[in-house]
Structure formats: structure tokens, C-alpha cells
Amino acid sequence: MNYLLLIPLGLVLVAFIYIFNFGGSREGRDERGYVIRLQMTSVMYAVLFLGIVIITTLNSKELITSKLALDIIFWLALLNSLIGAIFLYFKKK
């Protein structure tokens, strides 16, 4: 197994744990936490949507192969939680 794949997967796992811990905490359940979670979700969906549109456009113009496009979309979906956790960290402060 390629051990370099474990690094981003570990980061994604830590990001998921961070996001879920915030959602279950007292701060995450109050009014400000609710707004932060909505903003985080909005940012995550926007990044995912724009990424998929760009990748699909590049694939339709035949600048990247279909297999590469699927691989990029897979990693974008995984790393999207990392983007959400980073946004949450900076918005929480």
C-alpha cells in the first residue's frame, strides 16, 4: 500500500472529528455556532460545486482524461472536509 495516501486520509479524518466535535459542543449549538456551521457548509458546497464544474469543463475540452477527472473529483470530495475544518478554525476565533 502506498503510505503517502495515509497522510491526506489522516488529515481528512482529523478534520471530520474536529467538525463533529464543534457541532456537538455547547459553542456549536448556540446561535453563533449555528451561523458558523451554516457558513462552513456554504463554503464547502461552493468549493465542491466550483471544483466539479472546472474539472468537468477541463474534461469536456479533453484537457484531462476521464480517469484523472474522476480521481480529482474523489480527492476534492475528501479534502473538502479539510477546507471546512480550516474555515471553521479561523471563523471560530
Side-chain angles (χ1 to χ4, degrees), residues 21-32:
N21 280 344
F22 177 75
S25 70
R26 180 185 293 175
E27 182 183 9
R29 289 185 307 229
D30 66 1
E31 296 163 2
R32 182 176 174 267

Side-chain angles (χ1 to χ4, degrees), residues 6-36:
L6 294 178
I7 295 170
L9 292 177
L11 289 174
V12 168
L13 180 65
V14 169
F16 272 123
I17 291 170
Y18 182 72
I19 290 171
F20 287 136
N21 280 344
F22 177 75
S25 70
R26 180 185 293 175
E27 182 183 9
R29 289 185 307 229
D30 66 1
E31 296 163 2
R32 182 176 174 267
Y34 182 72
V35 170
I36 290 173

Side-chain angles (χ1 to χ4, degrees), residues 10-73:
L11 289 174
V12 168
L13 180 65
V14 169
F16 272 123
I17 291 170
Y18 182 72
I19 290 171
F20 287 136
N21 280 344
F22 177 75
S25 70
R26 180 185 293 175
E27 182 183 9
R29 289 185 307 229
D30 66 1
E31 296 163 2
R32 182 176 174 267
Y34 182 72
V35 170
I36 290 173
R37 284 188 301 162
L38 284 177
Q39 290 173 346
M40 178 192 62
T41 305
S42 175
V43 166
M44 289 172 66
Y45 279 132
V47 167
L48 190 61
F49 176 76
L50 287 175
I52 290 174
V53 166
I54 290 169
I55 293 165
T56 306
T57 303
L58 291 174
N59 187 20
S60 68
K61 301 287 184 185
E62 297 180 0
L63 296 174
I64 60 174
T65 64
S66 296
K67 182 181 180 337
L68 180 61
L70 288 175
D71 289 344
I72 294 171
I73 289 173

